[in-house]
Amino acid sequence: MSVASTQQAVVAAEPTRESLDVLDQLMKPEVQESLTVLVENLPKLAEMVTILTKTYDLVQNVATDQVFIDDIKGGVEEFVKPIQDKAKGLASAAIEANDRAQDESTTIGLFGLLKMLKDPQVQKMFRFSQAFLEVLAERQKQRQ
């Protein structure tokens, strides 16, 4: 036999071995049981694949639709912008107040505190603090 015919015989024998391996696998009872379950559930699997395909198509269309992406981006920006502006304003006020407090070295006495109590912002802060503490107390009572 020539080398070429020997190689052809080996190549022809390999698919036979693979076929035998597949047949050996199919002869196993657990594989046959699994195949039976798959065949019984083919209608459900087909329905699931259809739904997944439709979902994939929808997501693909939405993900590539630049108009939709721009609309979502604009909506999020409209929602976040006021919150961002308010946070920046509060941070700016806190930084400015800290700078003023660092520059100020005077002592606030009893009469200074009494004068501060008349300030509308101090009153607002005290009302908020009182309401906040009341809410915390109510929630603590509910947990017990």
Side-chain angles (χ1 to χ4, degrees):
M1 263 188 157
S2 72
V3 173
S5 61
T6 307
Q7 287 177 347
Q8 288 175 351
V10 169
V11 169
E14 284 180 12
T16 308
R17 270 191 232 135
E18 290 176 9
S19 299
L20 288 176
D21 289 342
V22 170
L23 289 174
D24 288 341
Q25 291 291 323
L26 289 173
M27 294 305 293
K28 293 180 181 178
E30 60 270 8
V31 173
Q32 289 178 359
E33 188 177 318
S34 297
L35 286 173
T36 303
V37 170
L38 282 173
V39 168
E40 289 173 356
N41 288 308
L42 275 178
K44 291 179 184 175
L45 290 171
E47 184 180 344
M48 286 175 58
V49 168
T50 303
I51 292 170
L52 285 173
T53 302
K54 288 179 182 177
T55 304
Y56 174 80
D57 292 342
L58 175 68
V59 169
Q60 190 68 24
N61 287 335
V62 167
T64 57
D65 185 1
Q66 194 60 41
V67 173
F68 180 75
I69 292 170
D70 291 341
D71 287 346
I72 294 295
K73 183 180 174 186
V76 170
E77 286 176 352
E78 285 179 22
F79 178 75
V80 171
K81 184 78 170 138
I83 296 170
Q84 183 180 12
D85 291 344
K86 191 168 188 174
K88 283 181 181 178
L90 289 173
S92 156
I95 291 170
E96 186 177 342
N98 184 43
D99 291 344
R100 286 184 188 182
Q102 295 295 327
D103 293 342
E104 189 100 15
S105 62
T106 60
T107 303
I108 298 176
L110 179 61
F111 292 113
L113 282 174
L114 291 174
K115 183 179 177 185
M116 284 175 45
L117 287 174
K118 293 179 184 179
D119 187 314
Q121 290 298 319
V122 172
Q123 287 295 316
K124 185 177 177 181
M125 187 256 323
F126 280 137
R127 284 192 298 274
F128 173 80
S129 300
Q130 182 180 14
F132 182 74
L133 292 172
E134 287 172 356
V135 168
L136 288 179
E138 289 172 7
R139 289 185 180 180
Q140 188 176 16
K141 285 180 184 176
Q142 288 176 354
R143 286 187 208 141
Q144 293 176 355

PDB file of all heavy atoms in Angstrom, residues 80-92:
ATOM      1  N   VAL A  80     -32.309  65.166  36.376  1.00  0.00           N
ATOM      2  CA  VAL A  80     -31.120  65.316  37.208  1.00  0.00           C
ATOM      3  C   VAL A  80     -30.694  66.768  37.355  1.00  0.00           C
ATOM      4  O   VAL A  80     -30.157  67.156  38.393  1.00  0.00           O
ATOM      5  CB  VAL A  80     -29.975  64.455  36.631  1.00  0.00           C
ATOM      6  CG1 VAL A  80     -28.658  64.739  37.311  1.00  0.00           C
ATOM      7  CG2 VAL A  80     -30.317  62.976  36.739  1.00  0.00           C
ATOM      8  N   LYS A  81     -30.936  67.579  36.355  1.00  0.00           N
ATOM      9  CA  LYS A  81     -30.451  68.966  36.349  1.00  0.00           C
ATOM     10  C   LYS A  81     -30.890  69.760  37.580  1.00  0.00           C
ATOM     11  O   LYS A  81     -30.033  70.374  38.231  1.00  0.00           O
ATOM     12  CB  LYS A  81     -30.917  69.666  35.056  1.00  0.00           C
ATOM     13  CG  LYS A  81     -30.405  71.063  34.895  1.00  0.00           C
ATOM     14  CD  LYS A  81     -28.978  71.072  34.434  1.00  0.00           C
ATOM     15  CE  LYS A  81     -28.591  72.486  34.048  1.00  0.00           C
ATOM     16  NZ  LYS A  81     -27.273  72.840  34.500  1.00  0.00           N
ATOM     17  N   PRO A  82     -32.190  69.773  37.954  1.00  0.00           N
ATOM     18  CA  PRO A  82     -32.570  70.538  39.154  1.00  0.00           C
ATOM     19  C   PRO A  82     -31.907  70.008  40.426  1.00  0.00           C
ATOM     20  O   PRO A  82     -31.491  70.787  41.287  1.00  0.00           O
ATOM     21  CB  PRO A  82     -34.092  70.365  39.239  1.00  0.00           C
ATOM     22  CG  PRO A  82     -34.527  69.936  37.884  1.00  0.00           C
ATOM     23  CD  PRO A  82     -33.366  69.236  37.269  1.00  0.00           C
ATOM     24  N   ILE A  83     -31.784  68.701  40.523  1.00  0.00           N
ATOM     25  CA  ILE A  83     -31.136  68.117  41.704  1.00  0.00           C
ATOM     26  C   ILE A  83     -29.663  68.509  41.732  1.00  0.00           C
ATOM     27  O   ILE A  83     -29.123  68.878  42.782  1.00  0.00           O
ATOM     28  CB  ILE A  83     -31.296  66.582  41.690  1.00  0.00           C
ATOM     29  CG1 ILE A  83     -32.777  66.220  41.797  1.00  0.00           C
ATOM     30  CG2 ILE A  83     -30.504  65.932  42.814  1.00  0.00           C
ATOM     31  CD1 ILE A  83     -33.074  64.757  41.553  1.00  0.00           C
ATOM     32  N   GLN A  84     -29.034  68.447  40.571  1.00  0.00           N
ATOM     33  CA  GLN A  84     -27.628  68.814  40.473  1.00  0.00           C
ATOM     34  C   GLN A  84     -27.425  70.286  40.836  1.00  0.00           C
ATOM     35  O   GLN A  84     -26.497  70.629  41.580  1.00  0.00           O
ATOM     36  CB  GLN A  84     -27.140  68.550  39.046  1.00  0.00           C
ATOM     37  CG  GLN A  84     -25.677  68.809  38.812  1.00  0.00           C
ATOM     38  CD  GLN A  84     -25.275  68.531  37.375  1.00  0.00           C
ATOM     39  OE1 GLN A  84     -26.121  68.366  36.508  1.00  0.00           O
ATOM     40  NE2 GLN A  84     -23.993  68.494  37.119  1.00  0.00           N
ATOM     41  N   ASP A  85     -28.295  71.161  40.334  1.00  0.00           N
ATOM     42  CA  ASP A  85     -28.174  72.583  40.639  1.00  0.00           C
ATOM     43  C   ASP A  85     -28.356  72.841  42.131  1.00  0.00           C
ATOM     44  O   ASP A  85     -27.619  73.640  42.726  1.00  0.00           O
ATOM     45  CB  ASP A  85     -29.199  73.388  39.844  1.00  0.00           C
ATOM     46  CG  ASP A  85     -28.899  73.398  38.349  1.00  0.00           C
ATOM     47  OD1 ASP A  85     -27.761  73.059  37.963  1.00  0.00           O
ATOM     48  OD2 ASP A  85     -29.815  73.735  37.573  1.00  0.00           O
ATOM     49  N   LYS A  86     -29.337  72.173  42.735  1.00  0.00           N
ATOM     50  CA  LYS A  86     -29.579  72.362  44.164  1.00  0.00           C
ATOM     51  C   LYS A  86     -28.394  71.865  44.991  1.00  0.00           C
ATOM     52  O   LYS A  86     -27.971  72.517  45.947  1.00  0.00           O
ATOM     53  CB  LYS A  86     -30.859  71.638  44.582  1.00  0.00           C
ATOM     54  CG  LYS A  86     -31.324  72.007  45.970  1.00  0.00           C
ATOM     55  CD  LYS A  86     -32.726  71.516  46.222  1.00  0.00           C
ATOM     56  CE  LYS A  86     -33.230  72.072  47.534  1.00  0.00           C
ATOM     57  NZ  LYS A  86     -34.628  71.756  47.772  1.00  0.00           N
ATOM     58  N   ALA A  87     -27.843  70.711  44.609  1.00  0.00           N
ATOM     59  CA  ALA A  87     -26.687  70.173  45.327  1.00  0.00           C
ATOM     60  C   ALA A  87     -25.488  71.108  45.198  1.00  0.00           C
ATOM     61  O   ALA A  87     -24.760  71.339  46.174  1.00  0.00           O
ATOM     62  CB  ALA A  87     -26.338  68.785  44.798  1.00  0.00           C
ATOM     63  N   LYS A  88     -25.288  71.642  43.998  1.00  0.00           N
ATOM     64  CA  LYS A  88     -24.189  72.586  43.813  1.00  0.00           C
ATOM     65  C   LYS A  88     -24.389  73.837  44.663  1.00  0.00           C
ATOM     66  O   LYS A  88     -23.442  74.368  45.249  1.00  0.00           O
ATOM     67  CB  LYS A  88     -24.066  72.977  42.342  1.00  0.00           C
ATOM     68  CG  LYS A  88     -23.423  71.925  41.479  1.00  0.00           C
ATOM     69  CD  LYS A  88     -23.310  72.401  40.041  1.00  0.00           C
ATOM     70  CE  LYS A  88     -22.678  71.354  39.153  1.00  0.00           C
ATOM     71  NZ  LYS A  88     -22.606  71.803  37.750  1.00  0.00           N
ATOM     72  N   GLY A  89     -25.641  74.328  44.732  1.00  0.00           N
ATOM     73  CA  GLY A  89     -25.938  75.505  45.548  1.00  0.00           C
ATOM     74  C   GLY A  89     -25.679  75.252  47.025  1.00  0.00           C
ATOM     75  O   GLY A  89     -25.095  76.097  47.713  1.00  0.00           O
ATOM     76  N   LEU A  90     -26.104  74.083  47.504  1.00  0.00           N
ATOM     77  CA  LEU A  90     -25.874  73.748  48.918  1.00  0.00           C
ATOM     78  C   LEU A  90     -24.380  73.588  49.204  1.00  0.00           C
ATOM     79  O   LEU A  90     -23.883  74.047  50.237  1.00  0.00           O
ATOM     80  CB  LEU A  90     -26.624  72.470  49.285  1.00  0.00           C
ATOM     81  CG  LEU A  90     -28.143  72.587  49.366  1.00  0.00           C
ATOM     82  CD1 LEU A  90     -28.789  71.218  49.569  1.00  0.00           C
ATOM     83  CD2 LEU A  90     -28.546  73.526  50.497  1.00  0.00           C
ATOM     84  N   ALA A  91     -23.668  72.949  48.307  1.00  0.00           N
ATOM     85  CA  ALA A  91     -22.224  72.776  48.500  1.00  0.00           C
ATOM     86  C   ALA A  91     -21.516  74.121  48.499  1.00  0.00           C
ATOM     87  O   ALA A  91     -20.626  74.374  49.322  1.00  0.00           O
ATOM     88  CB  ALA A  91     -21.658  71.868  47.410  1.00  0.00           C
ATOM     89  N   SER A  92     -21.930  74.992  47.595  1.00  0.00           N
ATOM     90  CA  SER A  92     -21.338  76.326  47.530  1.00  0.00           C
ATOM     91  C   SER A  92     -21.602  77.103  48.820  1.00  0.00           C
ATOM     92  O   SER A  92     -20.702  77.760  49.361  1.00  0.00           O
ATOM     93  CB  SER A  92     -21.909  77.049  46.316  1.00  0.00           C
ATOM     94  OG  SER A  92     -21.841  78.427  46.448  1.00  0.00           O
TER      95      SER A  92
END
